[in-house]
Amino acid sequence: GQQVMQIPQYQHVQEGEDFTTYCNSSTTLSNIQWYKQRPGGHPVFLIQLVKSGEVKKQKRLTFQFGEAKKNSSLHITATQTTDVGTYFCAGRNTNAGKSTFGDGTTLTVKP
Amino acid sequence: DTGVSQDPRHKITKRGQNVTFRCDPISEHNRLYWYRQTLGQGPEFLTYFQNEAQLEKSRLLSDRFSAERPKGSFSTLEIQRTEQGDSAMYLCASSPDRANYGYTFGSGTRLTVV
């Protein structure tokens, strides 16, 4: 079945440093979603990417979808303490139906 | 509408007992999903409904797990003869019946089997 892998598993940064997490799927995806889960919380939807090579920005966050639609990345510029949490990617093979989640990258930010 | 609601928030049960969880999705969302999450892992897909129809169920699920969405609104997830390995956070999510929409998750039900 489909597998979604994320690296790194953990990332510790100093406040103000940049952060990137990478997501790779074993199969070509219809779309990919990104979620953020704060400690003790539930996943919160951030964004969905659909098109090959798509790049989307949300303030300090930049999301990319690979040309082959099998990989994606999330980059945070100048991290803040409010960015702490676990970032999950989730890939879908069709427009509807289930998403397969990676195991996430946990970001900690030292003030 | 206050989002996706799950009840109870916590459940402790003895091994071998049956448990049932409830999920109330966002009212205008036709799609409803159940996921399970353990510490350090991403959410694992369990099952998915479009209105009242259960369209997909994970092959990883044993026959002890069953889910319903009888009127296309709220959903229940039942686990029969619970085992310690069932201990996890059970997350419900919903989304609109439109292509390319992300999930809105509930706060989850944390199950502990002792």
Side-chain angles (χ1 to χ4, degrees), chain B residues 1-22:
Chain B
D1 194 351
T2 56
V4 178
S5 299
Q6 291 189 246
D7 183 69
R9 291 295 302 274
H10 304 274
K11 179 71 177 178
I12 301 174
T13 191
K14 291 185 178 180
R15 191 172 43 188
Q17 297 294 306
N18 299 342
V19 294
T20 300
F21 310 140
R22 177 180 169 122

mmCIF file of all heavy atoms in Angstrom, chain B residues 1-22:
data_model
loop_
_atom_site.group_PDB
_atom_site.id
_atom_site.type_symbol
_atom_site.label_atom_id
_atom_site.label_comp_id
_atom_site.label_asym_id
_atom_site.label_seq_id
_atom_site.Cartn_x
_atom_site.Cartn_y
_atom_site.Cartn_z
ATOM 1 N N ASP B 1 -21.899 26.713 14.490
ATOM 2 C CA ASP B 1 -21.260 25.403 14.470
ATOM 3 C C ASP B 1 -19.887 25.520 15.106
ATOM 4 O O ASP B 1 -19.100 26.370 14.735
ATOM 5 C CB ASP B 1 -21.143 24.920 13.014
ATOM 6 C CG ASP B 1 -20.805 23.446 12.939
ATOM 7 O OD1 ASP B 1 -20.502 22.846 13.982
ATOM 8 O OD2 ASP B 1 -20.834 22.913 11.832
ATOM 9 N N THR B 2 -19.611 24.641 16.078
ATOM 10 C CA THR B 2 -18.359 24.770 16.819
ATOM 11 C C THR B 2 -17.310 23.801 16.318
ATOM 12 O O THR B 2 -16.320 23.589 16.988
ATOM 13 C CB THR B 2 -18.613 24.528 18.308
ATOM 14 O OG1 THR B 2 -19.218 23.253 18.478
ATOM 15 C CG2 THR B 2 -19.531 25.600 18.879
ATOM 16 N N GLY B 3 -17.482 23.190 15.204
ATOM 17 C CA GLY B 3 -16.489 22.276 14.688
ATOM 18 C C GLY B 3 -16.887 20.833 14.908
ATOM 19 O O GLY B 3 -18.046 20.511 15.154
ATOM 20 N N VAL B 4 -15.886 19.942 14.826
ATOM 21 C CA VAL B 4 -16.121 18.513 14.990
ATOM 22 C C VAL B 4 -16.077 18.171 16.480
ATOM 23 O O VAL B 4 -15.101 18.502 17.151
ATOM 24 C CB VAL B 4 -15.071 17.695 14.216
ATOM 25 C CG1 VAL B 4 -15.285 16.206 14.424
ATOM 26 C CG2 VAL B 4 -15.114 18.051 12.739
ATOM 27 N N SER B 5 -17.119 17.519 16.962
ATOM 28 C CA SER B 5 -17.200 17.161 18.385
ATOM 29 C C SER B 5 -17.059 15.661 18.562
ATOM 30 O O SER B 5 -17.638 14.882 17.794
ATOM 31 C CB SER B 5 -18.544 17.603 18.974
ATOM 32 O OG SER B 5 -18.701 18.995 18.885
ATOM 33 N N GLN B 6 -16.295 15.263 19.566
ATOM 34 C CA GLN B 6 -16.140 13.849 19.870
ATOM 35 C C GLN B 6 -16.449 13.601 21.331
ATOM 36 O O GLN B 6 -16.114 14.408 22.196
ATOM 37 C CB GLN B 6 -14.727 13.370 19.544
ATOM 38 C CG GLN B 6 -14.437 13.353 18.056
ATOM 39 C CD GLN B 6 -13.125 12.688 17.725
ATOM 40 O OE1 GLN B 6 -12.190 13.320 17.255
ATOM 41 N NE2 GLN B 6 -13.054 11.376 17.981
ATOM 42 N N ASP B 7 -17.060 12.454 21.582
ATOM 43 C CA ASP B 7 -17.451 12.118 22.946
ATOM 44 C C ASP B 7 -17.293 10.604 23.169
ATOM 45 O O ASP B 7 -17.665 9.815 22.293
ATOM 46 C CB ASP B 7 -18.919 12.513 23.166
ATOM 47 C CG ASP B 7 -19.366 12.256 24.589
ATOM 48 O OD1 ASP B 7 -18.883 12.977 25.492
ATOM 49 O OD2 ASP B 7 -20.166 11.329 24.791
ATOM 50 N N PRO B 8 -16.707 10.173 24.309
ATOM 51 C CA PRO B 8 -16.143 11.015 25.357
ATOM 52 C C PRO B 8 -14.749 11.505 24.996
ATOM 53 O O PRO B 8 -14.188 11.092 23.987
ATOM 54 C CB PRO B 8 -16.080 10.036 26.547
ATOM 55 C CG PRO B 8 -15.807 8.710 25.903
ATOM 56 C CD PRO B 8 -16.586 8.730 24.604
ATOM 57 N N ARG B 9 -14.171 12.343 25.812
ATOM 58 C CA ARG B 9 -12.796 12.796 25.590
ATOM 59 C C ARG B 9 -11.800 11.731 26.043
ATOM 60 O O ARG B 9 -10.746 11.562 25.426
ATOM 61 C CB ARG B 9 -12.538 14.088 26.356
ATOM 62 C CG ARG B 9 -13.286 15.293 25.808
ATOM 63 C CD ARG B 9 -12.817 15.669 24.404
ATOM 64 N NE ARG B 9 -11.399 15.968 24.348
ATOM 65 C CZ ARG B 9 -10.878 17.165 24.614
ATOM 66 N NH1 ARG B 9 -11.640 18.155 24.976
ATOM 67 N NH2 ARG B 9 -9.573 17.351 24.509
ATOM 68 N N HIS B 10 -12.170 11.038 27.116
ATOM 69 C CA HIS B 10 -11.309 9.986 27.646
ATOM 70 C C HIS B 10 -12.160 8.778 27.993
ATOM 71 O O HIS B 10 -13.295 8.928 28.442
ATOM 72 C CB HIS B 10 -10.581 10.448 28.919
ATOM 73 C CG HIS B 10 -9.779 11.690 28.735
ATOM 74 N ND1 HIS B 10 -8.482 11.684 28.264
ATOM 75 C CD2 HIS B 10 -10.101 12.991 28.940
ATOM 76 C CE1 HIS B 10 -8.039 12.927 28.205
ATOM 77 N NE2 HIS B 10 -8.991 13.738 28.596
ATOM 78 N N LYS B 11 -11.581 7.590 27.792
ATOM 79 C CA LYS B 11 -12.266 6.362 28.150
ATOM 80 C C LYS B 11 -11.234 5.363 28.646
ATOM 81 O O LYS B 11 -10.260 5.064 27.951
ATOM 82 C CB LYS B 11 -13.008 5.789 26.944
ATOM 83 C CG LYS B 11 -13.732 4.490 27.206
ATOM 84 C CD LYS B 11 -14.943 4.674 28.082
ATOM 85 C CE LYS B 11 -15.704 3.374 28.267
ATOM 86 N NZ LYS B 11 -16.874 3.561 29.186
ATOM 87 N N ILE B 12 -11.448 4.875 29.867
ATOM 88 C CA ILE B 12 -10.625 3.803 30.412
ATOM 89 C C ILE B 12 -11.511 2.578 30.522
ATOM 90 O O ILE B 12 -12.603 2.650 31.089
ATOM 91 C CB ILE B 12 -10.043 4.185 31.788
ATOM 92 C CG1 ILE B 12 -9.181 5.446 31.673
ATOM 93 C CG2 ILE B 12 -9.210 3.029 32.348
ATOM 94 C CD1 ILE B 12 -8.677 5.987 33.003
ATOM 95 N N THR B 13 -11.058 1.464 29.978
ATOM 96 C CA THR B 13 -11.859 0.261 29.989
ATOM 97 C C THR B 13 -10.993 -0.953 30.285
ATOM 98 O O THR B 13 -9.776 -0.923 30.066
ATOM 99 C CB THR B 13 -12.587 0.073 28.644
ATOM 100 O OG1 THR B 13 -13.557 -0.958 28.765
ATOM 101 C CG2 THR B 13 -11.607 -0.309 27.540
ATOM 102 N N LYS B 14 -11.630 -1.977 30.789
ATOM 103 C CA LYS B 14 -10.897 -3.209 31.049
ATOM 104 C C LYS B 14 -10.830 -4.038 29.765
ATOM 105 O O LYS B 14 -11.763 -4.028 28.940
ATOM 106 C CB LYS B 14 -11.588 -4.005 32.151
ATOM 107 C CG LYS B 14 -11.496 -3.357 33.521
ATOM 108 C CD LYS B 14 -12.104 -4.251 34.586
ATOM 109 C CE LYS B 14 -11.973 -3.608 35.959
ATOM 110 N NZ LYS B 14 -12.558 -4.457 37.029
ATOM 111 N N ARG B 15 -9.753 -4.762 29.628
ATOM 112 C CA ARG B 15 -9.568 -5.648 28.487
ATOM 113 C C ARG B 15 -10.753 -6.588 28.361
ATOM 114 O O ARG B 15 -11.224 -7.142 29.340
ATOM 115 C CB ARG B 15 -8.276 -6.443 28.680
ATOM 116 C CG ARG B 15 -7.797 -7.217 27.488
ATOM 117 C CD ARG B 15 -6.423 -7.783 27.754
ATOM 118 N NE ARG B 15 -6.300 -8.351 29.085
ATOM 119 C CZ ARG B 15 -5.166 -8.774 29.624
ATOM 120 N NH1 ARG B 15 -4.045 -8.660 28.942
ATOM 121 N NH2 ARG B 15 -5.136 -9.278 30.823
ATOM 122 N N GLY B 16 -11.254 -6.707 27.136
ATOM 123 C CA GLY B 16 -12.385 -7.582 26.891
ATOM 124 C C GLY B 16 -13.729 -6.877 26.843
ATOM 125 O O GLY B 16 -14.712 -7.442 26.358
ATOM 126 N N GLN B 17 -13.762 -5.647 27.328
ATOM 127 C CA GLN B 17 -15.004 -4.883 27.296
ATOM 128 C C GLN B 17 -15.204 -4.239 25.925
ATOM 129 O O GLN B 17 -14.262 -4.053 25.156
ATOM 130 C CB GLN B 17 -14.986 -3.796 28.368
ATOM 131 C CG GLN B 17 -14.900 -4.322 29.785
ATOM 132 C CD GLN B 17 -16.146 -5.088 30.170
ATOM 133 O OE1 GLN B 17 -17.257 -4.580 30.068
ATOM 134 N NE2 GLN B 17 -15.975 -6.326 30.618
ATOM 135 N N ASN B 18 -16.463 -3.883 25.637
ATOM 136 C CA ASN B 18 -16.784 -3.158 24.410
ATOM 137 C C ASN B 18 -16.855 -1.669 24.705
ATOM 138 O O ASN B 18 -17.280 -1.265 25.797
ATOM 139 C CB ASN B 18 -18.138 -3.618 23.853
ATOM 140 C CG ASN B 18 -18.158 -5.094 23.506
ATOM 141 O OD1 ASN B 18 -17.105 -5.731 23.366
ATOM 142 N ND2 ASN B 18 -19.342 -5.645 23.370
ATOM 143 N N VAL B 19 -16.442 -0.859 23.749
ATOM 144 C CA VAL B 19 -16.528 0.590 23.895
ATOM 145 C C VAL B 19 -17.112 1.181 22.620
ATOM 146 O O VAL B 19 -16.963 0.631 21.524
ATOM 147 C CB VAL B 19 -15.159 1.248 24.176
ATOM 148 C CG1 VAL B 19 -14.620 0.826 25.535
ATOM 149 C CG2 VAL B 19 -14.154 0.942 23.076
ATOM 150 N N THR B 20 -17.793 2.320 22.780
ATOM 151 C CA THR B 20 -18.365 3.030 21.636
ATOM 152 C C THR B 20 -18.047 4.506 21.757
ATOM 153 O O THR B 20 -18.219 5.096 22.822
ATOM 154 C CB THR B 20 -19.886 2.845 21.572
ATOM 155 O OG1 THR B 20 -20.184 1.455 21.447
ATOM 156 C CG2 THR B 20 -20.469 3.575 20.369
ATOM 157 N N PHE B 21 -17.603 5.096 20.653
ATOM 158 C CA PHE B 21 -17.292 6.518 20.598
ATOM 159 C C PHE B 21 -18.235 7.192 19.612
ATOM 160 O O PHE B 21 -18.660 6.588 18.628
ATOM 161 C CB PHE B 21 -15.844 6.744 20.127
ATOM 162 C CG PHE B 21 -14.809 5.943 20.856
ATOM 163 C CD1 PHE B 21 -13.740 5.384 20.170
ATOM 164 C CD2 PHE B 21 -14.891 5.728 22.221
ATOM 165 C CE1 PHE B 21 -12.776 4.647 20.833
ATOM 166 C CE2 PHE B 21 -13.941 4.989 22.891
ATOM 167 C CZ PHE B 21 -12.879 4.442 22.193
ATOM 168 N N ARG B 22 -18.471 8.475 19.873
ATOM 169 C CA ARG B 22 -19.357 9.222 18.993
ATOM 170 C C ARG B 22 -18.621 10.406 18.384
ATOM 171 O O ARG B 22 -17.778 11.036 19.028
ATOM 172 C CB ARG B 22 -20.565 9.733 19.783
ATOM 173 C CG ARG B 22 -21.516 10.586 18.948
ATOM 174 C CD ARG B 22 -22.702 11.077 19.722
ATOM 175 N NE ARG B 22 -23.443 12.069 18.980
ATOM 176 C CZ ARG B 22 -24.729 11.947 18.664
ATOM 177 N NH1 ARG B 22 -25.425 10.874 19.031
ATOM 178 N NH2 ARG B 22 -25.343 12.899 17.985
#
